[in-house]
Amino acid sequence: MAGSRSQSSGLRALRPVAFGADPSGERMARIRRSPHFKDGVFQNPGGNARIRPSGSARDLAKTYVDKDSRSRRAPKGAVPVHPTTLADISRPPATGLRLTWMGHSSVLAEIDGHRVLFDPVWGERCSPFPFAGPRRLHPAPLPLAALGPVDVVVISHDHYDHLDLPTIKALAGTDTLFAVPLGVGAHLERWGVSAGRLRELDWHEATKVGGLTLTATPARHFCGRGLRNTQHTLWASWAVAGEEHRIYHSGDTGYFEGFKDIGADHGPFDATMIQVGAYSDFWPDIHMTPEEGVRAHLDLQGGEAAGVLLPIHWGTFNLAPHPWAEPGEWMADAAGAVGQAVAFPRPGEPFEPAGEPPAEPWWRTLSAPVVRHWNRAGGLDAAPAVQAPAIPAAPPAGGDLDLAGDR
């Protein structure tokens, strides 16, 4: 037995620090008491969700190695990152609410006098290793240290493109609080965040930070960072309510009917940040297409086209087979079809949802022609390629380690 314990301790010592830590002790006891934890794992709303690619591995591999497809999954030039400065984000927003999309799912929300940073990823790769895994397609708009004080960092789940070791270690040296789903606090504590700065929540639980109420709400996804995925850390979307404004961040999720309940309980929202990239027919249960993202937004708003939709989880990492620019084009069409206001800021470009949201399709000069398969009954093969006019002057990570990152 002593030899077995020694071997186990040795394996733990070899575990990369980026893998984080498994929940244990009272944290694990609390997880077992969760009504959403059953048969040793967290359960998804709406029944089981396929967290591994459907279809044949051969078909998936062919999709990834196809030369033409591969060339379309990255921009054809430098992404026009807005040169964000502290001056941009130090003046209070005139309307009380300002959003700055930093790329992928990272958003700085300035709401009713507070600063909330969602899913901050400043690292070069979403991977446990600095030499492998998806690399950024554009730089972070400004250094993390130049962001200024943040009241609370909100994490949706523990995949590498949402929970980034170097970013968290940098933020651990500040006095910010962290709001995270159940179990995720184990990772943060291993990386230097003290337990007193953690607000670890189950779905439907809330915490107060100053004048804000942050509520962990359901999502349809999964978790995991290491060689074994124990499904012992929860994933969540988040509703944040201030004295005057309400916002919503979807994290990663497939479409499910629960958006209507979230909207009824916590909406309507002045702005939603909705995952609309890294979708695929190979994993339809755990990520949304832009069309589903618009449907989710409408559900959150009580069925009405209201507020502003900010598309997230696209443009920064190559995590799925679809063309790099497709989420932007599809979102523009899907939102336009129902009269929904959508914001298309360049990474780092602050905007106030109550004003005129940025709408210029900045990606078009960097994109190969986009096949608008969503507008044709005949499907992808029958759809014509459309080259948009020029603008004037990323298999999902899960139980086994996937160096391609979370999709």
Side-chain angles (χ1 to χ4, degrees):
M1 291 295 290
S4 175
R5 284 195 299 272
S6 175
Q7 184 180 32
S8 177
S9 299
L11 289 174
R12 282 197 299 272
L14 292 172
R15 176 186 176 115
V17 67
F19 281 9
D22 294 327
S24 60
E26 176 51 34
R27 178 175 278 117
M28 192 63 218
R30 187 179 169 205
I31 287 169
R32 292 193 179 101
R33 293 194 297 268
S34 168
H36 311 110
F37 191 79
K38 182 182 178 183
D39 299 328
V41 296
F42 279 110
Q43 305 291 317
N44 265 303
N48 290 334
R50 289 170 290 172
I51 64 174
R52 292 184 179 278
S54 58
S56 74
R58 182 179 181 182
D59 288 343
L60 180 60
K62 281 176 61 179
T63 300
Y64 271 91
V65 300
D66 177 77
K67 184 177 180 180
D68 182 61
S69 172
R70 190 168 66 246
S71 71
R72 294 171 180 267
R73 295 203 301 270
K76 293 185 174 296
V79 173
V81 175
H82 179 83
T84 317
T85 66
L86 184 56
D88 288 330
I89 52 180
S90 61
R91 296 185 301 271
T95 62
L97 176 63
R98 180 168 57 210
L99 302 179
T100 306
W101 179 52
M102 299 296 177
H104 203 56
S105 296
S106 304
V107 182
L108 175 66
E110 297 166 274
I111 173 172
D112 297 341
H114 298 81
R115 305 177 95 227
V116 182
L117 184 58
F118 291 95
D119 282 357
V121 174
W122 258 252
E124 185 64 20
R125 296 183 186 269
C126 48
S127 166
F129 307 113
F131 53 83
R135 188 176 226 153
R136 300 183 70 94
L137 300 174
H138 65 79
L142 79 170
L144 188 62
L147 195 62
V150 172
D151 295 293
V152 58
V153 173
V154 176
I155 303 296
S156 64
H157 63 298
D158 68 0
H159 284 154
Y160 288 96
D161 58 327
H162 297 260
L163 181 61
D164 179 54
L165 169 62
T167 304
I168 297 301
K169 292 192 82 167
L171 290 167
T174 70
D175 59 0
T176 186
L177 301 176
F178 292 82
V180 302
L182 273 183
V184 174
H187 300 312
L188 272 62
E189 284 192 35
R190 187 179 185 207
W191 299 338
V193 179
S194 64
R197 290 165 56 195
L198 292 173
R199 305 292 183 267
E200 203 162 342
L201 307 181
D202 200 350
W203 291 340
H204 309 299
E205 292 182 342
T207 188
K208 296 279 287 187
V209 175
L212 300 180
T213 300
L214 297 89
T215 305
T217 47
R220 189 164 166 79
H221 200 57
F222 67 113
C223 63
R225 292 180 72 85
L227 295 173
R228 288 190 316 114
N229 183 2
T230 59
Q231 295 289 85
H232 286 172
T233 58
L234 188 58
W235 48 95
S237 57
W238 290 87
V240 178
E243 294 180 0
E244 301 291 337
H245 295 91
R246 294 171 180 263
I247 57 177
Y248 172 84
H249 189 284
S250 72
D252 277 2
T253 182
Y255 178 81
F256 68 113
E257 291 294 323
F259 290 116
K260 297 174 183 176
D261 296 328
I262 295 171
D265 292 342
H266 304 287
F269 299 98
D270 298 280
T272 67
M273 296 154 272
I274 302 289
Q275 171 264 305
V276 298
Y279 48 82
S280 173
D281 289 341
F282 287 105
W283 47 85
D285 295 344
I286 54 173
H287 278 209
M288 292 191 291
T289 67
E291 182 178 356
E292 290 171 324
V294 171
R295 192 189 320 164
H297 174 90
L298 296 178
D299 288 351
L300 290 161
Q301 303 290 53
E304 302 291 330
V308 173
L309 192 167
L310 171 62
I312 60 171
H313 204 265
W314 75 289
T316 303
F317 295 105
N318 181 351
L319 301 177
H322 64 67
W324 171 77
E326 186 179 280
E329 294 293 344
W330 193 350
M331 172 55 69
D333 282 357
V338 297
Q340 173 57 53
V342 60
F344 287 119
R346 292 165 172 80
E349 180 182 1
F351 74 96
E352 300 194 26
E356 190 71 28
E360 186 180 41
W362 52 265
W363 59 87
R364 286 183 178 167
T365 55
L366 306 174
S367 169
V370 174
V371 178
R372 305 176 100 78
H373 57 88
W374 54 88
N375 283 344
R376 300 276 296 209
L380 181 60
D381 294 336
V386 175
Q387 176 63 65
I391 305 171
D400 297 321
L401 178 63
D402 178 4
L403 295 184
D406 166 35
R407 302 183 177 85

